[in-house]
Amino acid sequence: MPIKENIGYINQIKDEAARRCGRTGEDVLLVAVTKLHDVDEINEAIDCGITDIGENKVQEIMNKYDRVKPVRWHLIGHLQTNKVKYIIDKVSMIHSVESLKLAQEIDKRAAQHNLTMDILIQVNSAEEESKFGITTEETGQMVRDILDSCPNVRIRGLMCIAPFEDNPEDARVYFEQVKALYDEYSRIDHPNLDFKYLSMGMSNDFEVAIEAGSNLIRVGTMIFGARDYSKKQGN
Ligand SMILES: *Cc1c(COP(=O)(O)O)cnc(C)c1O
């Protein structure tokens, strides 16, 4: 799999999509999603300029952490509260916060490590049963609850996984809904709220997501090829 060429190609599409809406590719962070890929492949991507990687399982981060070159780690998948303690000092941002209980556990563990953890709130704007995340209506209350009770958590923005559509254009409306919330809540004045990331877009829909306002895309398949799910393990 030509990882270097794939990253170059993604950067080109990313730049073109960003320019269509008055931004540049540099305004959009590419997070390489490395789940189910080997440490060698990950290190190759890092050698090709990848600065941020995303994993969706705590166990996989633990297994790979010591063997991956210096990089920023993002937890992008569903996180169980009892596993926060394992990754609190390893990841730079948690994209998948969808309950106050989880935010409070992150807060508690962050305080124990004397750090402030950056989080995104996951919004399931399409209200798909199969996906985690809160509804658009619940987002304002969640932001306020977290600000009220989690001094060691900093809310950096929102994250959305759109429904998989054969035509990615059909996902645009879900991205736009989350972008509208992002613009609304980014105006809140609070020391623990500093919106910088709107995490939307994967291999099949990142171009549309960027046009809808995303500034962080999470791309796996288009960099590394198809995942081998027989390698799947634990949470
Ligand atoms: C796997 C995954 C991705 C990457 O998906 P691709 O289609 O391989 O690009 C992005 N975001 C999340 C939350 C994921 O779990």
Side-chain angles (χ1 to χ4, degrees), residues 83-101:
K83 299 206 167 140
V84 173
K85 57 180 178 284
Y86 300 119
I87 48 99
I88 193 72
D89 58 343
K90 297 187 173 58
V91 303
S92 64
M93 190 157 74
I94 298 171
H95 293 224
S96 42
V97 175
E98 39 120 36
S99 73
L100 182 59
K101 190 173 141 235

Side-chain angles (χ1 to χ4, degrees), residues 32-55 57-74 90-91 224:
V33 176
T34 50
K35 65 187 186 208
L36 299 176
H37 290 290
D38 300 339
V39 169
D40 288 347
E41 293 171 280
I42 301 172
N43 284 334
E44 186 179 338
I46 293 170
D47 287 339
C48 297
I50 290 294
T51 55
D52 293 74
I53 63 172
E55 287 279 350
K57 302 261 192 244
V58 167
Q59 188 60 52
E60 228 180 306
I61 295 177
M62 306 296 288
N63 292 348
K64 295 173 179 173
Y65 192 77
D66 289 335
R67 293 175 294 135
V68 172
K69 294 182 176 186
V71 72
R72 282 188 294 267
W73 293 72
H74 297 245
K90 297 187 173 58
V91 303
F224 299 107

Side-chain angles (χ1 to χ4, degrees), residues 46-163:
I46 293 170
D47 287 339
C48 297
I50 290 294
T51 55
D52 293 74
I53 63 172
E55 287 279 350
N56 68 339
K57 302 261 192 244
V58 167
Q59 188 60 52
E60 228 180 306
I61 295 177
M62 306 296 288
N63 292 348
K64 295 173 179 173
Y65 192 77
D66 289 335
R67 293 175 294 135
V68 172
K69 294 182 176 186
V71 72
R72 282 188 294 267
W73 293 72
H74 297 245
L75 195 283
I76 61 173
H78 179 61
L79 177 58
Q80 290 169 268
T81 49
N82 62 350
K83 299 206 167 140
V84 173
K85 57 180 178 284
Y86 300 119
I87 48 99
I88 193 72
D89 58 343
K90 297 187 173 58
V91 303
S92 64
M93 190 157 74
I94 298 171
H95 293 224
S96 42
V97 175
E98 39 120 36
S99 73
L100 182 59
K101 190 173 141 235
L102 175 58
Q104 287 171 333
E105 175 67 15
I106 294 169
D107 179 63
K108 176 179 139 191
R109 298 296 177 181
Q112 286 172 353
H113 285 266
N114 239 325
L115 56 85
T116 301
M117 179 54 70
D118 281 351
I119 65 152
L120 305 179
I121 295 173
Q122 183 174 352
V123 183
N124 179 3
S125 52
E127 303 196 17
E128 283 185 289
E129 293 283 345
S130 60
K131 295 211 170 83
F132 291 98
I134 59 172
T135 65
T136 52
E137 291 80 17
E138 292 164 333
T139 308
Q141 191 62 48
M142 182 68 71
V143 168
R144 283 186 287 274
D145 287 346
I146 293 173
L147 292 178
D148 283 346
S149 68
C150 302
N152 284 71
V153 162
R154 185 163 58 151
I155 309 179
R156 300 310 305 271
L158 305 175
M159 181 269 219
C160 167
I161 306 174

